[in-house]
Amino acid sequence: MPGLAVALAIAALWWILIDRLDREERLLEQTAHEKTAVLARLVEEHAAATVRRVDDLLLDLVTHAEQNRAMQLSSRRAFEEGLVVGVRVYDRDGTLTMEAGRSAFRGPILDRDEFAAHRENARRRFIIGVPYLAPDTLDTLIPVSRRVDTPSGGFTGIAVADVPVEAFVRFYRVLGLPLDASVALLRADGTLLARYSTADPRGDNAAAAADFWQGMLKPFGHQRAISPVDGVERILAYRLTQDYALAAIVGESVASVFGPWRANARLYTGWAIATTMVILLFIVGFGVEWQWRRRTERALRIRNRAMAWSGDGILIADATQTGMPIVYGNPALERLMGLTFPDLLGHGALWVLERAVTDPLVLEPLREAVAIGRDVRVEFTRPGFQLGERTCLELRASPVRDEAGQLVSLIAIVRDITEHKQAQAALADARREADRANVAKSKFLAAASHDLRQPVQSLMLLMEVLASRAVDAPTRNVLGTMDRALGALKMLLDGLLDVSRLEAGAVTPELEVFPVADLLERVAASSRPVALQKGLLFHIVPCSAHIRSDPMLLGRILQNLAENALRYTETGRILIGCRRRGGALRIEVWDSGIGIPADQQEDIFQEFVQVGNASRNRDQGLGLGLAVVRRLSAMLEHRVTLRSIPGRGSVFAVETPLAAAPAATPRAVADAPRPHTPAHATVLVIEDDVIVREGLSAMLAEWGYTVLAAESCAQALDLANRGPVPNVIVADYRLRDGRTGTEAIREVRLALGRIVPGILVTGDTAPARAQEAEAGNFQVMHKPVLASDLQRAVADAIAVVERERALVG
């Protein structure tokens, strides 16, 4: 019932408001109709009287012209009052035969519509022409004319009087039009003759939108429309003259008529909306508060039950009273603290807690926190449990303040954290053990990566020198085989680098579309020699599909899977093939090796985990290949699966997305041109390893560079000072006497007094090397470095220096 009463009250309020606004709007519109109708009648009467006086003048002029008599026009009142500024008489050929007053029209009369109308119609009638602009004064004139006939009724010409629009506008200015009102005088066909607007007192005689005016011309009436001349919406009253084809239109702006009313209507509506909102908010607030009270009471009952059955001890004390007496304590608090609260209710909370602990000093932080009003956490122990034969408890206390900031209560929660402490201790031990294992693994990776890359780097550099000097085909075949072997060894060493870089997040996939056949051929080229050596059959099933992936990273995955199959297969065969599965291509690596037990198939993807290598034989790898496969496949979002039967073999599969073959492009030349070697370029080589230093020197000399070879930082400084000045520095990172290549490059630059491009060649894969290179503005290349990559890096470094010198010059 209260809701119904409120709804009826709101409905009555809005009905009264809408009815009042509707009545006021209709009254204003009726008043505007009456006012504009009166003004339209005045305008119509003035226009009829003005045109009638001009017509009288024309009739006299026509009579005198037909009788071929002269007529004194300047003394006529129409001229004196400015109703006519000039008259003209034309013969039947359109020749001007007489004119008086101001001659304004200079155009051919034959082109005017009124001349044609008089010539073709024998009836003598009064015609109002289209207004034109006087070329001398730029005044707008309305030509009115009558026909001149012979005594027998033949057409002999016309008589024209020019009526200025200003003759009508002067009257409109003194009508007392409302604000933003307008007056328009039109012909019966809708042609605008004169127009006046209070918003533009100069008068506007635009003759546009005849169709708009023609649509409303009736004997009399009202219409509400938007003016096509100025775009203002007005209430229009219009009247047609009885004797002449003229129409008078008077319009009052809708904004001026309804503006104040609309402002009041918005005010009344806003007041009604505000009142309605207040009433609704009051009702909603009442309902919400009622529901909130119900929910609060229910939640309070649930909270009390939950607190009573909670495993944590809960204590509530009243801080507004002296000593902060206890007002509530649940059974768990009694059990954990060894207290009986029914006997202690009303006693001070701090006094009760100090009685329950062995050392009252442990609660000193609690006392200080309560004094300053902040939260506090305290840990203490009590006898009776297993962690050092004591129970470890945690007490959290939170002072509660009111809106004025006064302390009103204290809430304390006591929790048994004995198992948590035990778990923390075990976790800390495990973390320390994991950290030790991780440090050992990192040291092993760094040492293996650096020490093994040095001799491999020397072999690759010397291979480049031999390749440039070998001319006969057998030798080049042998060198090609050696090059493939070194490439396989480099890939093996890169596994160590991959693990290190993947752990540091330094690898970013570069996806592209490429044929899977090229990738399989590269894997076969690296793996088939090993299979032949072991007497295994290594077969690649041809596949014409294209896939979207990173060819380098996916190649590393397949190479690692192939090497894993070769490593654990002693007899039989290894097969690599592809299967289409919907929108994916499944690349499978089959082997007839020892197989992997089901309980170890997840573990083999971890670092340093191997099956069937209990003695850790290094001939069977380090256990990093499948770990790299797992990380790279996760990075590429390629699913890797495994099926295996112990003693019969395994099938590793990688699923990659299929892609459409790209448009055919010209094949690149097999042997790309070597980078251009600048004339008289000098390279300073700093390397403490004799083999690597000699290999680098021989290869750079073979490329046409002048080589300065140094084994230490001091020797490099001596060579740089004696000349020639090096164009680029190629330095190993680890040098003798604890020095580094970074320091050597910096000191050579300082000795020469200019920035010499530097290339740091190192087997150290630590991320710190990249940071040093960025700080020192030089390039880092990890061993073993391909000869083509090194040659390109040296040439690019020298080219940059030459461009900078050319710009400075």
Side-chain angles (χ1 to χ4, degrees):
M1 291 301 293
L4 179 60
V6 171
L8 291 176
I10 294 175
L13 172 66
W14 281 98
W15 183 85
I16 293 172
L17 175 63
I18 293 172
D19 179 68
R20 177 177 177 179
L21 294 178
D22 181 65
R23 285 188 286 107
E24 290 180 353
E25 183 180 14
R26 284 189 277 108
L27 178 60
L28 289 173
E29 188 169 3
Q30 182 179 357
T31 303
H33 285 177
E34 295 174 355
K35 185 189 301 183
T36 54
V38 172
L39 293 174
R41 185 178 186 85
L42 293 175
V43 171
E44 181 262 335
E45 291 176 352
H46 173 266
T50 301
V51 174
R52 186 177 298 110
R53 294 175 63 185
V54 176
D55 190 21
D56 292 342
L57 176 63
L58 282 175
L59 289 172
D60 289 345
L61 180 61
V62 168
T63 301
H64 283 74
E66 290 176 346
Q67 298 175 3
N68 197 18
R69 291 185 294 113
M71 178 180 178
Q72 183 67 26
L73 295 174
S74 58
S75 61
R76 298 294 292 265
R77 291 185 61 186
F79 273 93
E80 292 176 353
E81 295 177 0
L83 299 182
V84 177
V85 297
V87 295
R88 294 168 279 131
V89 178
Y90 297 89
D91 61 11
R92 62 181 303 161
D93 297 325
T95 304
L96 181 65
T97 60
M98 189 271 287
E99 63 177 336
R102 192 181 73 204
S103 179
F105 186 77
R106 291 290 181 267
I109 193 65
L110 295 176
D111 295 338
R112 300 286 295 184
D113 295 338
E114 56 266 27
F115 187 86
H118 284 301
R119 182 175 56 190
E120 295 171 2
N121 193 339
R123 290 181 54 195
R124 291 192 177 189
R125 58 193 181 100
F126 183 80
I127 295 179
I128 302 174
V130 178
Y132 68 93
L133 195 65
D136 50 354
T137 62
L138 299 181
D139 294 334
T140 303
L141 304 178
I142 304 173
V144 296
S145 60
R146 276 192 176 274
R147 173 180 170 126
V148 180
D149 293 335
T150 62
S152 61
F155 175 72
T156 62
I158 66 171
V160 183
D162 292 324
V163 181
V165 170
E166 183 63 24
F168 299 99
V169 173
R170 283 197 304 268
F171 175 73
Y172 303 154
R173 290 196 182 102
V174 298
L175 273 179
L177 296 173
L179 180 64
D180 208 9
S182 69
V183 180
L185 184 64
L186 292 83
R187 293 195 318 188
D189 61 354
T191 302
L192 184 63
L193 301 177
R195 184 179 181 276
Y196 172 77
S197 173
T198 57
D200 185 10
R202 297 172 300 174
D204 187 354
N205 301 308
D211 295 339
F212 173 80
W213 304 116
Q214 179 67 26
M216 69 171 61
L217 293 183
K218 299 177 182 178
F220 60 88
H222 286 85
Q223 185 170 344
R224 184 168 174 171
I226 298 176
S227 172
V229 178
D230 55 12
V232 177
E233 184 181 12
R234 292 186 175 90
I235 297 176
L236 303 171
Y238 48 88
R239 293 182 65 87
L240 287 173
T241 61
Q242 297 180 358
D243 300 328
Y244 301 98
L246 291 174
I249 300 178
V250 178
E252 185 175 1
S253 170
V254 172
S256 62
V257 173
F258 296 103
W261 171 81
R262 287 174 176 172
N264 292 332
R266 285 193 292 268
L267 180 63
Y268 297 152
T269 305
W271 174 82
I273 291 174
T275 304
T276 304
M277 292 300 296
V278 169
I279 296 174
L280 292 178
L281 287 175
F282 175 78
I283 298 300
V284 171
F286 176 78
V288 169
E289 183 178 3
W290 181 66
Q291 291 291 338
W292 177 79
R293 288 181 179 276
R294 290 188 59 189
R295 288 195 299 268
T296 301
E297 293 175 357
R298 181 171 179 272
L300 186 61
R301 292 192 299 269
I302 294 174
R303 185 199 65 182
N304 290 338
R305 289 197 298 268
M307 292 173 60
W309 290 96
S310 173
D312 296 335
I314 302 174
L315 177 146
I316 302 176
D318 185 359
T320 61
Q321 300 184 26
T322 304
M324 201 177 297
I326 296 174
V327 296
Y328 177 79
N330 68 343
L333 183 66
E334 299 179 8
R335 174 177 56 82
L336 293 173
M337 300 296 292
L339 300 173
T340 305
F341 272 95
D343 300 333
L344 297 175
L345 290 177
H347 293 276
L350 295 177
W351 179 78
V352 171
L353 292 174
E354 288 176 353
R355 288 187 57 191
V357 299
T358 306
D359 185 6
L361 293 178
V362 300
L363 297 180
E364 190 62 28
L366 174 62
R367 187 179 296 275
E368 296 176 357
V370 171
I372 62 177
R374 62 176 177 84
D375 295 349
V376 67
R377 176 181 178 276
V378 178
E379 290 186 5
F380 57 93
T381 58
R382 295 189 68 253
F385 291 86
Q386 292 300 320
L387 187 60
E389 298 184 355
R390 303 183 70 84
T391 301
C392 189
L393 301 177
E394 175 192 63
L395 184 146
R396 291 180 179 267
S398 298
V400 181
R401 298 180 180 274
D402 59 10
E403 296 179 355
Q406 298 295 325
L407 191 64
V408 295
S409 62
L410 175 70
I411 300 177
I413 298 177
V414 179
R415 179 172 299 168
D416 186 353
I417 59 172
T418 303
E419 294 183 359
H420 177 69
K421 284 295 184 180
Q422 292 174 346
Q424 277 189 331
L427 181 61
D429 293 340
R431 184 180 293 110
R432 285 192 295 270
E433 184 63 27
D435 290 341
R436 285 195 297 268
N438 192 46
V439 169
K441 182 185 70 172
S442 299
K443 289 181 179 180
F444 171 77
L445 284 175
S449 177
H450 180 270
D451 294 343
L452 292 178
R453 287 169 186 273
Q454 289 290 89
V456 174
Q457 179 67 77
S458 302
L459 291 174
M460 295 184 71
L461 298 177
L462 294 175
M463 271 291 301
E464 178 66 17
V465 175
L466 290 175
S468 63
R469 297 183 180 182
V471 294
D472 57 295
T475 304
R476 294 184 66 87
N477 290 336
V478 173
L479 290 176
T481 304
M482 293 176 62
D483 183 61
R484 289 193 296 271
L486 285 175
L489 181 57
K490 178 181 182 299
M491 184 174 293
L492 177 62
L493 293 178
D494 285 342
L496 299 175
L497 175 61
D498 287 342
V499 173
S500 178
R501 295 178 65 194
L502 289 172
E503 287 182 347
V507 177
T508 303
E510 297 181 1
L511 303 181
E512 61 181 83
V513 177
F514 59 93
V516 70
D518 295 346
L519 184 64
L520 298 180
E521 286 300 324
R522 289 201 299 270
V523 174
S526 301
S527 303
R528 188 171 282 117
V530 180
L532 292 176
Q533 185 178 2
K534 295 186 67 173
L536 301 174
L537 177 62
F538 192 94
H539 181 62
I540 300 290
V541 178
C543 180
S544 60
H546 284 69
I547 59 176
R548 179 175 178 81
S549 181
D550 186 312
M552 296 302 296
L553 300 183
L554 182 57
R556 180 59 50 82
I557 292 175
L558 296 179
Q559 186 64 48
N560 287 1
L561 294 178
E563 291 174 356
N564 184 77
L566 289 169
R567 188 173 296 120
Y568 295 101
T569 302
E570 297 300 331
T571 59
R573 65 173 183 170
I574 294 172
L575 174 67
I576 301 179
C578 302
R579 299 176 188 268
R580 296 178 185 265
R581 290 290 185 269
L585 185 70
R586 183 182 176 93
I587 307 175
E588 298 180 345
V589 180
W590 294 66
D591 67 67
S592 56
I594 62 175
I596 305 170
D599 59 346
Q600 299 184 26
Q601 291 184 6
E602 290 293 332
D603 298 337
I604 61 170
F605 289 97
Q606 304 296 326
E607 291 87 348
F608 306 109
V609 174
Q610 293 178 298
V611 177
N613 190 18
S615 61
R616 304 300 296 174
N617 182 4
R618 294 306 179 194
D619 292 339
Q620 296 189 12
L622 302 173
L624 296 175
L626 294 181
V628 172
V629 168
R630 177 179 61 87
R631 299 192 183 193
L632 289 178
S633 61
M635 182 182 301
L636 294 172
E637 298 182 356
H638 295 347
R639 182 168 171 260
V640 176
T641 59
L642 166 63
R643 303 195 311 272
S644 183
I645 300 176
R648 298 184 59 181
S650 306
V651 181
F652 288 85
V654 182
E655 293 184 3
T656 61
L658 283 166
T665 56
R667 295 182 58 87
V669 181
D671 295 328
R674 294 178 180 270
H676 172 67
T677 301
H680 309 295
T682 301
V683 180
L684 175 59
V685 177
I686 310 175
E687 172 63 69
D688 60 339
D689 190 289
V690 178
I691 300 176
V692 177
R693 184 171 67 251
E694 291 179 354
L696 275 173
S697 300
M699 184 176 63
L700 291 169
E702 188 70 22
W703 292 341
Y705 294 108
T706 300
V707 182
L708 303 177
E711 65 178 354
S712 64
C713 181
Q715 188 176 0
L717 290 172
D718 181 60
L719 291 174
N721 289 327
R722 286 192 289 120
V725 176
N727 299 93
V728 66
I729 304 172
V730 179
D732 186 24
Y733 179 73
R734 295 183 182 179
L735 301 176
R736 295 182 180 179
D737 301 326
R739 304 298 298 275
T740 64
T742 304
E743 297 172 352
I745 294 174
R746 188 185 303 116
E747 292 183 11
V748 171
R749 289 175 173 177
L750 185 61
L752 295 177
R754 62 189 181 91
I755 301 298
V756 180
I759 301 174
L760 192 68
V761 181
T762 177
D764 191 345
T765 62
R769 303 292 81 79
Q771 298 173 0
E772 292 180 12
E774 183 177 358
N777 192 20
F778 53 81
Q779 183 180 355
V780 172
M781 302 183 73
H782 292 285
K783 296 179 180 178
V785 178
L786 294 176
S788 58
D789 294 341
L790 180 61
Q791 184 181 8
R792 187 175 297 103
V794 172
D796 291 344
I798 296 175
V800 170
V801 174
E802 289 181 347
R803 284 196 299 269
E804 291 177 353
R805 290 180 181 175
L807 290 175
V808 172

